[in-house]
Amino acid sequence: MNHVLCGFAANVSLPSELVDRLIAVADAETAVDLAHRDDLSHAQAVKLASRVEESAVSLAYAGLLTAADVDPATQPDVALALLAERAGRPEWARLLAEDPVVERREKLAACPGLPLDVQEKLATDSDVQVVAELALWTTPETATRLAAHPHAEVRRAVAANEATPPAVLAALLTGEGLPPAHRCLVCDRAEPPFVHDPQCRRLDCELLPGASCDDSHESTRHETQQTAIRNPATPIEAVVSFACHSSLLPRWALVGRTDLPPDVYARLAADANPGVRADLAENPAIGDVLIRLLAADRDHEVRRRLAHNPLVPLDVLTHLAGATRIGAVLLPRIASASPEEVEELAASPNPAARMLIAQRRDLPPPVRDALAADSDAKVLKSIAPHPGLSEGQLRAMLDRHGVRVVAKVAANPDATPALLEDLARHEPSVHKAFREIARHRNASAAALLACLADTRARRIAAGHVALPPPIIEELLADADWQVVEAAAANPSLPIAVITDLMPQL
């Protein structure tokens, strides 16, 4: 792979005539970057597709190729890409439904807006994966018919389709009213009874660990149940009984639903499995009583996930922040806090509450400034990247807490070039700060040169427009290929240098 050419292909400053030269010599790797250029013309896309066949699919998905540019007989994968984008022709679907390559028929089955005769043909395809793919996306009428398909894998796919009628989904949960399935993926591969070895070493084996069949296709049947339980179109009355099912997985499948009765959520909140309780904790439908119950759960992950519930009360959230490792993230409930709640949290005597609200990036200036003067380092780390802070405020943070806030100060979008230079020279050095400086829009050449000494920051700094052109040119010969590509893609690299290194035609 020529990493210099790959970088050139992504360089936004590359003039059109040099793009043409790259297309003329492009290989598969260079074509990937060329295909993602925002300025690629239709004519250039057609040339690139003819030069590197593998790029044509990406170009089709990007809307750079039209139906007039594609021959479905010789470019079936490109035709499939256009069909997937509703930009193909109906007759292509009829041709591809006869394609001898199963994977192509499977991709076709997932395309929207297929003619009815094509859907009918795919519904009777000789390969079950093609039929199953159709079942995932098809109309209510076809889904109803495929729910009685003799292969259990097709029924599992029907259970995942939100267009499947509710009565059919309820039937898939129990099997009542449906003829028994005759085959599944497990007994297609081995005579039952058979249990797939969880440690199977066959590279061509696609069975899930522990998949089994004893002639009742139990693995696929159970998966179908869980899939139907998760499907929001499945009626509530058909799924509520699974809350007390003896098997874990059906209970677990229930916890993401937002339409269950309160007593069902209460039963799930008392489940012995912490994974069930953790997933339930994020569900906004569980209500205040269960939220407060789960806030006292003995499992850390349950409490952490509860903090991400968009309806968790602020007092509960503040308690969780002080007792649970949540991470430096903007939580949904904090993002939706009212102006009054913002002021209340910012003025809280609890630093955990102030840290939470400091994660917002749209705080009123008085609130922002008050938090910027906070005495708690964790609060300062949260507020430091907030836009609008002055250089004086940022330097005051550094004076108070030094190395603990260096990286966060460097991430502030309004950090000045002089401040960034000082941060790059900070002792002791902070590796994460180098990476923040290397990607900062205000970074000066002096700050970027300091960043080049850090391995990971070097890869970022090599692409910064403020890096001096001679240094960028030197980096084209760097031992790290990621540095080379970043430097070659740097818009500040002189066009004369690119022209000299471009293959001559």
Side-chain angles (χ1 to χ4, degrees):
M1 181 187 298
N2 189 322
H3 295 292
V4 171
L5 292 187
C6 285
F8 288 167
N11 193 314
V12 296
S13 294
L14 202 67
S16 182
E17 59 270 21
L18 291 186
V19 173
D20 287 335
R21 283 174 58 177
L22 263 184
I23 290 172
V25 297
D27 57 14
E29 290 78 16
T30 311
V32 170
D33 291 298
L34 286 168
H36 287 89
R37 289 187 66 89
D38 291 335
D39 61 351
L40 202 68
S41 69
H42 173 250
Q44 288 172 326
V46 172
K47 288 179 183 176
L48 181 60
S50 64
R51 165 78 187 177
V52 183
E53 187 177 347
E54 301 97 309
S55 69
V57 171
S58 296
L59 293 166
Y61 277 119
L64 291 170
L65 296 180
T66 67
D69 303 319
V70 177
D71 177 3
T74 59
Q75 299 171 290
D77 294 324
V78 187
L80 280 168
L82 287 179
L83 285 170
E85 295 296 306
R86 292 184 180 269
R89 294 171 176 165
E91 59 267 26
W92 293 0
R94 297 185 178 95
L95 174 67
L96 290 164
E98 305 277 0
D99 197 293
V101 179
V102 172
E103 289 76 14
R104 289 189 185 130
R105 302 200 306 276
E106 192 175 342
K107 288 181 181 178
L108 176 65
C111 291
L114 293 174
L116 288 177
D117 59 310
V118 174
Q119 293 187 49
E120 288 296 320
K121 185 167 187 60
L122 293 172
T124 58
D125 197 277
S126 59
D127 191 282
V128 67
Q129 296 289 17
V130 175
V131 186
E133 190 65 28
L134 178 70
L136 277 171
W137 311 105
T138 194
T139 61
E141 296 75 20
T142 303
T144 299
R145 180 155 55 91
L146 292 178
H149 195 278
H151 203 286
E153 184 65 13
V154 175
R155 300 185 185 203
R156 185 197 61 77
V158 173
N161 188 338
E162 294 186 20
T164 301
V168 176
L169 290 167
L172 287 167
L173 274 174
T174 63
E176 293 178 11
L178 297 174
H182 299 312
R183 304 291 296 174
C184 69
L185 293 180
V186 179
C187 60
D188 281 348
R189 289 163 172 75
E191 284 299 316
F194 175 78
V195 178
H196 184 229
D197 182 0
Q199 307 300 323
C200 178
R201 300 187 179 213
R202 285 178 51 187
L203 298 179
D204 62 342
C205 185
E206 297 179 355
L207 290 178
L208 293 174
S212 62
C213 181
D214 60 0
D215 273 332
S216 70
H217 321 298
E218 64 271 19
S219 286
T220 311
R221 182 162 44 83
H222 294 156
E223 289 170 17
T224 300
Q225 277 188 335
Q226 294 155 38
T227 303
I229 290 170
R230 292 188 187 96
N231 193 325
T234 304
I236 301 171
E237 57 272 17
V239 303
V240 291
S241 63
F242 287 92
C244 52
H245 199 280
S246 59
S247 176
L248 166 65
L249 295 179
R251 302 197 310 271
W252 210 331
L254 266 178
V255 296
R257 291 190 65 123
T258 58
D259 54 358
L260 299 176
D263 62 309
V264 176
Y265 288 128
R267 181 180 289 276
L268 293 168
D271 199 281
N273 187 280
V276 171
R277 302 196 308 276
D279 280 2
L280 181 70
E282 279 192 280
N283 191 327
I286 60 176
D288 187 79
V289 173
L290 290 183
I291 285 176
R292 293 181 183 279
L293 175 69
L294 291 170
D297 197 280
R298 63 186 180 276
D299 188 87
H300 173 272
E301 184 64 10
V302 174
R303 301 192 306 273
R304 189 190 71 80
R305 298 279 291 280
L306 184 66
H308 290 264
N309 189 309
L311 297 184
V312 61
L314 288 180
D315 65 309
V316 174
L317 185 53
T318 300
H319 169 74
L320 289 170
T324 307
R325 289 186 178 180
I326 297 172
V329 294
L330 176 61
L331 298 171
R333 180 63 182 88
I334 296 299
S336 65
S338 68
E340 295 75 20
E341 290 172 331
V342 167
E343 291 191 5
E344 178 185 342
L345 288 166
S348 172
N350 186 343
R354 304 197 303 275
M355 180 180 66
L356 288 175
I357 201 62
Q359 285 292 336
R360 283 187 48 158
R361 297 293 173 256
D362 59 349
L363 296 173
V367 173
R368 176 202 64 205
D369 293 344
L371 291 170
D374 203 281
S375 60
D376 191 285
K378 290 182 180 178
V379 176
L380 291 186
K381 287 175 69 175
S382 292
I383 197 66
H386 197 295
L389 291 172
S390 69
E391 180 174 355
Q393 289 173 306
L394 295 172
R395 288 188 181 277
M397 294 181 193
L398 290 169
D399 291 341
R400 293 200 302 276
H401 293 288
V403 70
R404 298 181 67 183
V405 297
V406 167
K408 293 298 184 179
V409 169
N412 188 287
D414 299 317
T416 64
L419 175 57
L420 293 171
E421 288 178 20
D422 288 345
L423 294 173
R425 292 191 294 263
H426 190 278
E427 291 294 341
S429 60
V430 179
H431 292 288
K432 190 173 181 180
F434 283 131
R435 298 195 290 274
E436 295 291 352
I437 296 166
R439 63 171 62 93
H440 202 290
R441 64 188 179 190
N442 293 337
S444 65
L448 292 169
L449 289 172
C451 291
L452 291 178
D454 182 85
T455 302
R456 292 173 65 183
R458 184 181 184 86
R459 298 166 182 169
I460 305 168
H464 199 291
V465 294
L467 201 64
I471 302 299
I472 303 173
E473 187 175 355
E474 286 179 16
L475 292 174
L476 294 177
D478 199 87
D480 185 334
W481 67 268
Q482 290 175 281
V483 173
V484 172
E485 286 199 7
N490 193 319
S492 294
L493 183 65
I495 296 300
V497 173
I498 298 177
T499 304
D500 287 345
L501 293 174
M502 191 81 72
Q504 302 296 319
L505 302 180

